[in-house]
Amino acid sequence: MTKLGRRKFLLYSSAALGSSLLLKSCSSTETTSTTAGNSGDRIKVGILHSLSGTMAISETTVKEAELLAIKEINQAGGVLGKQIEPIIEDGASDWPTFAEKAQKLIDQDKVTTVFGCWTSASRKAVKDVFEAKDHMLWYPVQYEGQECSKNIFYTGAAPNQQIEPAVDWLLQNKGKKFFLVGSDYVFPRTANTIIKEQLKVKGGETVGEDYLPLGNAEVTPIITKIKQALPDGGVIFNSLNGDSNVAFFKQMQGAGLTADKYPVMSVSIGEEEVRQIGKEFLVGHYASWNYFMTVDSPANKKFVEAFKAEYGQDRVTNDPMEAAYIMVYLWKQAVEQAGTADDLNKVRAAAIGQTFDAPEGQVKMYPNHHISKTVRIGQVRNDGLFDIVWSTDAPVDPVPWNQYVPTTKGYGCDWTDPNKGEKYKI
């Protein structure tokens, strides 16, 4: 917020107020846990991602993974004997547009659930819609935590399943001095708050911190600050999103900040981003995820082969795509256990405890609406894929309320207990 100009702040505030009033005016007649319009032989679902704008570089492929899962399920007989009908909307890398499209999918298209979003800004924009209408969103991307909604199922990593293990690994293997760079919105800022608290506890040091607006390519000032703060080298923790990363890595290399002295740990760059940025700019740098295309398992081999067969042999898979793919299957299993796609309360209850043999490994949905996940760190190699240089021995249980940040330390989330719910003292 400190980076927002007054005019932009007023525009966002006006849009938020308008959305709030609209939701309030509709909620008395439209809020329901039962959807309509799914009679006959079809079940409608929404797909909501940025297919244009700065985030299209990442989100288009997530949509493709969801469509692949839907195609496979339909070919195997569908859900409860019905075919899944996807209705696709473009959030256009614009957060008010995400909210508008979410409302359309629920009110006009009568979908039973929505698979969507990438950035936390887009998720926050639609969260009020899904909560006001008591509907259901499945969200596939790692995020900053500090949230636990009854109406959202999160299949990406919580910070303790990605960011925190990455910081621990860097401290043990790459150095104690960290420069933090990110896009200027909620995920990078909250992630960096967590990292700074963790470094205080673990004996590291934050030597600098800077942000770019989403889509901004003016990275030269950040490169200059990194060189000043780390003249002899050090760790760069990168939470830039979208195509800002293209300029960042190209100028890092151009400035002579190479991976041997200035290793970059990214939490939003996977195989697809490496392909689009150019692997020659990323070789030797690192990423922390739960899934890499190089995971050696029968489930992953099947997933990669199916994706390439559908979209081209030159294509790659990555972590958000895998999390998007498996969330469609987790929803399917919950619907089949509930015996209905329309009664969302029954589907929500049935989703908890679902397990799946995912390409990343076995996952399980917890009462906090997050899944267990294996943590992995990969290093970009010459072919643009990742060598997995470290991983946990077993899946890590999700912790949405962060245990390093003082205001949320000691809190949990449990939607199976009405006395606990969104946030309770452990």
Side-chain angles (χ1 to χ4, degrees):
M1 289 299 296
T2 59
K3 295 286 186 181
L4 284 176
R6 180 176 179 274
R7 184 176 180 185
K8 188 178 286 186
F9 174 75
L10 290 172
L11 283 170
Y12 286 177
S13 299
S14 175
L17 176 60
S19 297
S20 176
L21 291 172
L22 180 60
L23 288 174
K24 287 179 180 177
S25 68
C26 295
S27 61
S28 61
T29 57
E30 295 178 352
T31 298
T32 177
S33 280
T34 303
T35 61
N38 289 288
S39 58
D41 61 351
R42 308 193 78 77
I43 297 175
K44 293 189 205 175
V45 301
I47 291 180
L48 177 57
H49 290 293
S50 294
L51 309 179
S52 60
T54 187
M55 289 307 302
I57 185 176
S58 296
E59 292 193 63
T60 301
T61 58
V62 175
K63 175 208 71 173
E64 291 173 340
E66 291 159 3
L67 291 176
L68 174 62
I70 289 170
K71 180 178 180 179
E72 290 176 350
I73 292 168
N74 282 341
Q75 289 178 338
V79 182
L80 300 177
K82 299 181 179 182
Q83 294 287 286
I84 306 169
E85 178 185 346
I87 299 173
I88 302 169
E89 292 289 350
D90 180 9
S93 304
D94 178 70
W95 321 141
T97 299
F98 267 90
E100 293 167 11
K101 297 293 188 178
Q103 189 158 315
K104 172 192 174 291
L105 287 167
I106 296 169
D107 292 342
Q108 295 181 30
D109 299 311
K110 307 295 184 184
V111 299
T112 56
T113 193
V114 175
F115 305 107
C117 301
W118 175 296
T119 68
S120 289
S122 63
R123 189 193 69 256
K124 294 285 189 185
V126 304
K127 179 172 176 281
D128 287 345
V129 177
F130 284 94
E131 290 181 345
K133 296 180 177 296
D134 200 16
H135 215 275
M136 182 186 296
L137 170 71
W138 291 75
Y139 176 67
V141 184
Q142 47 76 25
Y143 82 120
E144 72 281 358
Q146 309 299 62
E147 179 180 300
C148 191
S149 173
K150 183 187 90 169
N151 301 90
I152 302 175
F153 287 92
Y154 310 76
T155 60
N160 75 301
Q161 298 169 312
Q162 183 197 32
I163 293 169
E164 293 171 25
V167 170
D168 286 339
W169 185 86
L170 288 165
L171 287 169
Q172 293 169 13
N173 295 279
K174 294 297 174 181
K176 304 291 187 183
K177 294 184 177 182
F178 283 56
F179 193 103
L180 312 179
V181 56
S183 298
D184 194 5
Y185 71 100
V186 61
F187 164 62
R189 287 191 171 274
T190 307
N192 287 342
T193 297
I194 292 168
I195 291 169
K196 287 183 286 187
E197 294 295 334
Q198 185 177 355
L199 289 175
K200 289 177 188 176
V201 173
K202 297 294 183 76
E205 179 185 359
T206 305
V207 299
E209 181 178 4
D210 211 346
Y211 298 89
L212 275 178
L214 270 169
N216 191 303
E218 297 297 324
V219 299
T220 302
I222 292 179
I223 302 295
T224 301
K225 291 176 184 177
I226 290 171
K227 292 172 75 173
Q228 291 172 345
L230 295 169
D232 300 317
V235 173
I236 300 164
F237 204 101
N238 171 37
S239 53
L240 289 170
N241 268 266
D243 50 16
S244 296
N245 278 300
V246 178
F248 178 70
F249 279 98
K250 287 183 177 180
Q251 292 196 35
M252 281 280 294
Q253 188 179 94
L257 305 185
T258 53
D260 56 338
K261 287 187 65 178
Y262 294 88
V264 178
M265 177 68 75
S266 297
V267 288
S268 293
I269 287 182
E271 289 84 343
E272 179 63 22
E273 287 77 18
V274 172
R275 185 176 76 93
Q276 296 199 38
I277 293 168
K279 59 181 182 287
E280 65 271 21
F281 300 107
L282 288 138
V283 170
H285 291 296
Y286 299 89
S288 176
W289 291 106
N290 309 106
Y291 166 86
F292 291 105
M293 187 172 170
T294 47
V295 168
D296 185 12
S297 72
N300 187 43
K301 182 180 179 182
K302 179 182 175 184
F303 170 57
V304 172
E305 288 178 351
F307 188 85
K308 284 177 173 288
E310 185 71 15
Y311 297 110
Q313 292 301 312
D314 62 331
R315 296 296 303 277
V316 294
T317 56
N318 65 22
D319 183 286
M321 293 161 63
E322 188 260 1
Y325 176 81
I326 67 174
M327 73 184 180
V328 179
Y329 276 95
L330 288 167
W331 166 80
K332 168 190 177 286
Q333 292 176 187
V335 168
E336 290 175 337
Q337 182 172 317
T340 174
D342 294 333
D343 190 326
L344 301 188
N345 283 330
K346 288 184 178 179
V347 176
R348 272 192 287 266
I352 294 170
Q354 292 296 333
T355 61
F356 187 69
D357 184 17
E360 69 180 80
Q362 189 79 3
V363 300
K364 179 181 178 180
M365 182 63 68
Y366 276 65
N368 56 27
H369 287 192
H370 295 66
I371 63 174
S372 57
K373 299 180 80 70
T374 300
V375 186
R376 296 177 170 94
I377 291 172
Q379 185 177 29
V380 182
R381 63 193 196 191
N382 290 328
D383 63 357
L385 300 181
F386 287 84
D387 273 329
I388 299 171
V389 298
W390 178 86
S391 68
T392 55
D393 295 330
V396 176
D397 295 348
V399 181
W401 296 113
N402 192 262
Q403 302 303 299
Y404 284 108
V405 177
T407 55
T408 53
K409 185 176 182 179
Y411 285 91
C413 170
D414 184 348
W415 288 109
T416 63
D417 186 338
N419 296 316
K420 293 179 177 178
E422 180 180 15
K423 191 177 184 182
Y424 72 97
K425 189 71 174 177
I426 299 172

